[in-house]
mmCIF file of all heavy atoms in Angstrom:
data_model
loop_
_atom_site.group_PDB
_atom_site.id
_atom_site.type_symbol
_atom_site.label_atom_id
_atom_site.label_comp_id
_atom_site.label_asym_id
_atom_site.label_seq_id
_atom_site.Cartn_x
_atom_site.Cartn_y
_atom_site.Cartn_z
ATOM 1 N N GLU A 36 -11.039 -60.516 -22.936
ATOM 2 C CA GLU A 36 -11.061 -60.409 -24.393
ATOM 3 C C GLU A 36 -10.866 -61.784 -25.031
ATOM 4 O O GLU A 36 -11.550 -62.132 -25.989
ATOM 5 C CB GLU A 36 -9.970 -59.444 -24.864
ATOM 6 C CG GLU A 36 -9.870 -59.291 -26.355
ATOM 7 C CD GLU A 36 -11.020 -58.549 -26.991
ATOM 8 O OE1 GLU A 36 -11.885 -58.022 -26.267
ATOM 9 O OE2 GLU A 36 -11.073 -58.504 -28.235
ATOM 10 N N ALA A 37 -9.945 -62.579 -24.500
ATOM 11 C CA ALA A 37 -9.711 -63.923 -25.034
ATOM 12 C C ALA A 37 -10.955 -64.787 -24.882
ATOM 13 O O ALA A 37 -11.324 -65.530 -25.803
ATOM 14 C CB ALA A 37 -8.520 -64.567 -24.336
ATOM 15 N N ALA A 38 -11.628 -64.691 -23.747
ATOM 16 C CA ALA A 38 -12.855 -65.465 -23.526
ATOM 17 C C ALA A 38 -13.948 -65.040 -24.502
ATOM 18 O O ALA A 38 -14.652 -65.887 -25.067
ATOM 19 C CB ALA A 38 -13.333 -65.305 -22.093
ATOM 20 N N ARG A 39 -14.060 -63.723 -24.733
ATOM 21 C CA ARG A 39 -15.058 -63.211 -25.675
ATOM 22 C C ARG A 39 -14.753 -63.714 -27.081
ATOM 23 O O ARG A 39 -15.657 -64.164 -27.817
ATOM 24 C CB ARG A 39 -15.076 -61.680 -25.649
ATOM 25 C CG ARG A 39 -16.167 -61.061 -26.533
ATOM 26 C CD ARG A 39 -16.089 -59.551 -26.560
ATOM 27 N NE ARG A 39 -14.891 -59.065 -27.216
ATOM 28 C CZ ARG A 39 -14.728 -58.980 -28.536
ATOM 29 N NH1 ARG A 39 -15.678 -59.385 -29.344
ATOM 30 N NH2 ARG A 39 -13.613 -58.509 -29.048
ATOM 31 N N LEU A 40 -13.483 -63.670 -27.487
ATOM 32 C CA LEU A 40 -13.108 -64.125 -28.823
ATOM 33 C C LEU A 40 -13.341 -65.620 -29.001
ATOM 34 O O LEU A 40 -13.771 -66.063 -30.072
ATOM 35 C CB LEU A 40 -11.644 -63.775 -29.101
ATOM 36 C CG LEU A 40 -11.353 -62.281 -29.262
ATOM 37 C CD1 LEU A 40 -9.855 -62.042 -29.324
ATOM 38 C CD2 LEU A 40 -12.049 -61.713 -30.474
ATOM 39 N N LYS A 41 -13.073 -66.408 -27.968
ATOM 40 C CA LYS A 41 -13.342 -67.845 -28.038
ATOM 41 C C LYS A 41 -14.831 -68.104 -28.233
ATOM 42 O O LYS A 41 -15.226 -68.971 -29.018
ATOM 43 C CB LYS A 41 -12.856 -68.541 -26.771
ATOM 44 C CG LYS A 41 -11.370 -68.723 -26.717
ATOM 45 C CD LYS A 41 -10.948 -69.427 -25.437
ATOM 46 C CE LYS A 41 -9.452 -69.557 -25.347
ATOM 47 N NZ LYS A 41 -9.014 -70.207 -24.102
ATOM 48 N N GLU A 42 -15.663 -67.370 -27.523
ATOM 49 C CA GLU A 42 -17.113 -67.528 -27.649
ATOM 50 C C GLU A 42 -17.579 -67.142 -29.052
ATOM 51 O O GLU A 42 -18.387 -67.851 -29.669
ATOM 52 C CB GLU A 42 -17.830 -66.681 -26.595
ATOM 53 C CG GLU A 42 -19.331 -66.825 -26.598
ATOM 54 C CD GLU A 42 -19.805 -68.216 -26.204
ATOM 55 O OE1 GLU A 42 -19.074 -68.918 -25.475
ATOM 56 O OE2 GLU A 42 -20.911 -68.607 -26.617
ATOM 57 N N GLU A 43 -17.056 -66.028 -29.574
ATOM 58 C CA GLU A 43 -17.428 -65.609 -30.922
ATOM 59 C C GLU A 43 -16.973 -66.639 -31.958
ATOM 60 O O GLU A 43 -17.697 -66.932 -32.906
ATOM 61 C CB GLU A 43 -16.817 -64.242 -31.238
ATOM 62 C CG GLU A 43 -17.493 -63.106 -30.511
ATOM 63 C CD GLU A 43 -16.874 -61.754 -30.826
ATOM 64 O OE1 GLU A 43 -15.942 -61.674 -31.668
ATOM 65 O OE2 GLU A 43 -17.314 -60.770 -30.214
ATOM 66 N N ASN A 44 -15.776 -67.189 -31.766
ATOM 67 C CA ASN A 44 -15.262 -68.192 -32.685
ATOM 68 C C ASN A 44 -16.145 -69.438 -32.676
ATOM 69 O O ASN A 44 -16.435 -70.022 -33.727
ATOM 70 C CB ASN A 44 -13.822 -68.545 -32.322
ATOM 71 C CG ASN A 44 -13.110 -69.267 -33.432
ATOM 72 O OD1 ASN A 44 -13.434 -69.114 -34.600
ATOM 73 N ND2 ASN A 44 -12.123 -70.060 -33.065
ATOM 74 N N LYS A 45 -16.593 -69.830 -31.495
ATOM 75 C CA LYS A 45 -17.483 -70.982 -31.363
ATOM 76 C C LYS A 45 -18.788 -70.738 -32.126
ATOM 77 O O LYS A 45 -19.262 -71.616 -32.864
ATOM 78 C CB LYS A 45 -17.766 -71.214 -29.877
ATOM 79 C CG LYS A 45 -18.641 -72.377 -29.568
ATOM 80 C CD LYS A 45 -18.813 -72.488 -28.053
ATOM 81 C CE LYS A 45 -19.916 -73.436 -27.680
ATOM 82 N NZ LYS A 45 -20.141 -73.478 -26.235
ATOM 83 N N ILE A 46 -19.343 -69.551 -31.990
ATOM 84 C CA ILE A 46 -20.583 -69.193 -32.682
ATOM 85 C C ILE A 46 -20.371 -69.219 -34.194
ATOM 86 O O ILE A 46 -21.207 -69.734 -34.947
ATOM 87 C CB ILE A 46 -21.098 -67.820 -32.211
ATOM 88 C CG1 ILE A 46 -21.566 -67.914 -30.758
ATOM 89 C CG2 ILE A 46 -22.207 -67.299 -33.116
ATOM 90 C CD1 ILE A 46 -21.812 -66.579 -30.096
ATOM 91 N N LEU A 47 -19.237 -68.672 -34.652
ATOM 92 C CA LEU A 47 -18.958 -68.647 -36.086
ATOM 93 C C LEU A 47 -18.776 -70.054 -36.656
ATOM 94 O O LEU A 47 -19.203 -70.336 -37.777
ATOM 95 C CB LEU A 47 -17.719 -67.799 -36.374
ATOM 96 C CG LEU A 47 -17.907 -66.295 -36.175
ATOM 97 C CD1 LEU A 47 -16.570 -65.583 -36.265
ATOM 98 C CD2 LEU A 47 -18.897 -65.740 -37.170
ATOM 99 N N LYS A 48 -18.155 -70.943 -35.893
ATOM 100 C CA LYS A 48 -18.003 -72.324 -36.348
ATOM 101 C C LYS A 48 -19.352 -73.004 -36.507
ATOM 102 O O LYS A 48 -19.603 -73.711 -37.480
ATOM 103 C CB LYS A 48 -17.130 -73.115 -35.372
ATOM 104 C CG LYS A 48 -15.663 -72.788 -35.483
ATOM 105 C CD LYS A 48 -14.845 -73.599 -34.492
ATOM 106 C CE LYS A 48 -13.373 -73.260 -34.573
ATOM 107 N NZ LYS A 48 -12.568 -74.041 -33.622
#
Side-chain angles (χ1 to χ4, degrees):
E36 178 70 6
R39 184 184 67 80
L40 291 172
K41 284 180 183 179
E42 183 66 26
E43 287 180 3
N44 196 27
K45 181 179 167 184
I46 292 167
L47 289 171
K48 285 180 181 180

